[in-house]
C-alpha cells in the first residue's frame, strides 16, 4: 500500500470522534434570561432524566433569584424609612390608606389622582380647638359649609414651626395634595431665646417656598398669627406684639409673591379680652366664632377665584 493511502486512512480515522471524548464547550454567550435561570434549567434537565430528584432542589435556585426589597424605601417626600420587620420580600402593589389620628376628612381618594376640592388646615392648638368648635356648630360644620369641599384639620397642641414640615410630609404620604393648604403656626415660637425674630422669619419663609415648590398644584395660605393677652416666652407683651406683626407682614408678602394667599383676622385684637380664655392664649367661644368665620369667608373667596388676600386690600 502506498504512503499516500496510509496518510489518507490515518487522517480519516483521526476525524472519528470517540464516544468518551469530552464535549466541546460553546463559545457563544448564553442569553441574559438563560444566565439568570441557569441553575433552574440545569435542575429541570436533571429531573427530566432522573424523576426521583426531589422537587425542592428544583425550586431552590429560582427562589434565590427573587429581588430583595432595599433596607429602606422613600416616602412621598423623598425621606427614607425602614419597612416593617414582618414585611414580605415583595412590596405591596397598592398603598394602604389610614386616616391620621385627630383629623377628619369626608373623602379620601387614591394618592395617584390629584384632588382639587380639598383643603388642609394645619396648625397649633388654636386649630385643634377651632375644629372642635366648627364641628359642633350648625353654622359651620367640619367642612365649614363650603360646597363640594372636604376639609382636613390637623391641630397639634404646643406646635413649634420646626415641626410643620414633618406634619405636612406625613399627610402627603397618605392623601392627595389639596387645593389649599392653610398654615397657622409660629405663635408658640415668639420670644424664645434660641429663636430670635430674624431667624424665625427666615425659617418660616424657607418652609413656605419649599412647600410651594414641592406642591405646585396647591395654593399655600398663610394664616396670620393671632394676638395674645399673654406671651409665655417674651420679655414683654409689647415686644411680642411687635414681633408678631413683623412676621405676619413679611411672610404674607412672600407668600403672595409666590402665588399663595393670606388670611388676616382684623377683628381679633389684643385689647378684646372677651375673645380669649383666662390663659390669654386660647380663644373663647366668641373668639373661636370670629376665627372660624373669618377663615370660612376667606376660603370661600379663594375658591371663587377672587383676591388671594383676605380681607381685600
Amino acid at each position: 500500500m502506498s504512503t499516500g493511502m496510509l496518510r489518507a486512512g490515518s487522517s480519516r480515522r483521526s476525524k472519528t470522534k470517540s464516544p468518551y471524548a469530552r464535549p466541546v464547550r460553546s463559545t457563544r454567550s448564553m442569553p441574559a434570561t438563560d444566565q439568570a435561570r441557569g441553575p433552574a434549567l440545569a435542575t429541570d434537565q436533571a429531573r427530566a432524566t432522573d424523576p426521583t430528584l426531589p422537587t425542592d432542589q428544583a425550586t431552590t435556585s429560582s427562589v434565590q433569584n427573587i429581588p430583595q426589597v432595599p433596607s429602606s424605601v422613600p416616602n412621598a417626600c423623598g425621606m427614607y424609612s425602614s419597612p416593617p420587620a414582618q414585611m414580605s420580600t415583595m412590596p405591596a402593589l397598592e398603598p394602604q390608606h389610614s386616616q391620621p389620628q385627630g383629623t377628619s376628612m369626608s373623602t379620601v381618594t387614591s394618592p395617584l389622582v390629584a384632588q382639587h376640592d380639598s383643603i388642609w388646615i394645619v396648625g397649633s392648638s388654636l386649630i385643634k380647638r377651632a375644629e372642635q368648635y366648627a364641628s359642633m356648630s350648625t353654622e359651620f360644620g367640619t367642612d365649614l359649609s363650603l360646597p363640594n369641599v372636604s376639609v382636613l384639620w390637623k391641630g397639634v397642641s404646643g406646635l413649634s414651626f420646626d415641626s410643620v414640615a414633618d406634619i405636612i410630609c406625613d399627610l402627603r404620604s397618605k392623601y392627595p395634595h389639596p387645593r389649599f393648604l392653610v398654615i397657622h403656626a409660629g405663635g408658640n415660637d415668639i420670644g424664645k431665646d434660641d429663636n430670635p425674630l430674624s431667624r424665625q422669619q427666615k425659617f418660616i419663609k424657607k418652609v413656605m417656598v419649599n412647600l410651594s415648590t414641592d406642591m405646585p398644584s396647591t395654593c399655600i395660605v398663610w394664616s396670620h398669627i393671632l394676638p395674645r393677652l399673654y406671651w409665655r416666652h417674651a420679655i414683654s407683651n409689647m415686644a411680642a406684639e411687635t414681633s408678631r406683626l413683623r412676621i405676619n407682614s413679611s411672610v404674607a408678602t412672600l407668600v403672595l409673591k409666590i402665588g399663595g394667599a393670606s388670611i388676616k383676622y382684623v377683628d381679633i385684637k389684643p385689647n378684646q379680652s372677651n375673645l380669649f380664655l383666662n390663659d390669654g392664649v386660647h380663644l373663647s367661644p366668641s373668639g373661636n366664632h370670629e376665627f372660624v368665620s373669618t377663615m370660612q369667608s376667606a376660603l370661600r373667596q379663594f375658591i371663587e377665584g377672587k383676591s388671594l388676600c383676605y380681607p381685600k386690600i
Side-chain angles (χ1 to χ4, degrees), residues 76 95-101 103 105 108-111 120 152 167-177:
Q96 300 295 325
H97 300 290
S98 59
Q99 188 167 339
Q101 186 178 2
T103 63
M105 189 174 186
V108 178
T109 59
S110 169
W120 295 355
L152 185 152
I167 293 174
I168 297 175
C169 182
D170 179 67
L171 294 177
R172 289 171 59 192
S173 68
K174 295 180 175 67
Y175 305 109
H177 290 182

Side-chain angles (χ1 to χ4, degrees), residues 106-118:
S106 58
T107 304
V108 178
T109 59
S110 169
L112 301 179
V113 180
Q115 180 179 346
H116 296 289
D117 59 350
S118 64

Side-chain angles (χ1 to χ4, degrees), residues 213-233:
T213 302
D214 296 340
M215 306 171 70
S217 61
T218 298
C219 178
I220 309 300
V221 182
W222 172 247
S223 177
H224 283 227
I225 300 173
L226 295 180
R228 299 182 178 185
L229 302 182
Y230 170 71
W231 296 88
R232 182 181 306 173
H233 306 290

Side-chain angles (χ1 to χ4, degrees), residues 119 140 143-151 296 299-300 303:
I119 298 174
F140 304 110
D143 295 332
L144 299 177
S145 297
L146 299 173
N148 302 320
V149 171
S150 298
V151 178
Q296 177 196 50
L299 291 173
R300 181 180 290 113
I303 293 172

Side-chain angles (χ1 to χ4, degrees), residues 124-253:
S124 63
S125 57
L126 292 173
I127 295 300
K128 184 176 181 180
R129 291 168 179 258
E131 178 194 6
Q132 296 171 351
Y133 179 85
S135 63
M136 295 184 295
S137 170
T138 56
E139 179 182 355
F140 304 110
T142 303
D143 295 332
L144 299 177
S145 297
L146 299 173
N148 302 320
V149 171
S150 298
V151 178
L152 185 152
W153 301 76
K154 185 63 176 179
V156 180
S157 300
L159 177 67
S160 174
F161 207 91
D162 293 345
S163 302
V164 169
D166 292 335
I167 293 174
I168 297 175
C169 182
D170 179 67
L171 294 177
R172 289 171 59 192
S173 68
K174 295 180 175 67
Y175 305 109
H177 290 182
R179 182 178 178 185
F180 296 98
L181 168 58
V182 181
I183 299 177
H184 187 89
N188 292 333
D189 301 313
I190 292 179
K192 289 184 177 180
D193 294 336
D194 59 346
N195 193 26
L197 176 61
S198 59
R199 178 189 179 277
Q200 188 175 4
Q201 285 179 308
K202 291 179 181 179
F203 182 74
I204 295 176
K205 290 180 179 180
K206 180 180 179 180
V207 171
M208 293 297 182
V209 172
N210 290 343
L211 289 174
S212 178
T213 302
D214 296 340
M215 306 171 70
S217 61
T218 298
C219 178
I220 309 300
V221 182
W222 172 247
S223 177
H224 283 227
I225 300 173
L226 295 180
R228 299 182 178 185
L229 302 182
Y230 170 71
W231 296 88
R232 182 181 306 173
H233 306 290
I235 300 176
S236 66
N237 285 348
M238 183 179 295
E241 180 65 14
T242 301
S243 297
R244 182 186 74 87
L245 294 175
R246 292 180 60 181
I247 292 172
N248 284 335
S249 177
S250 61
V251 175
T253 301

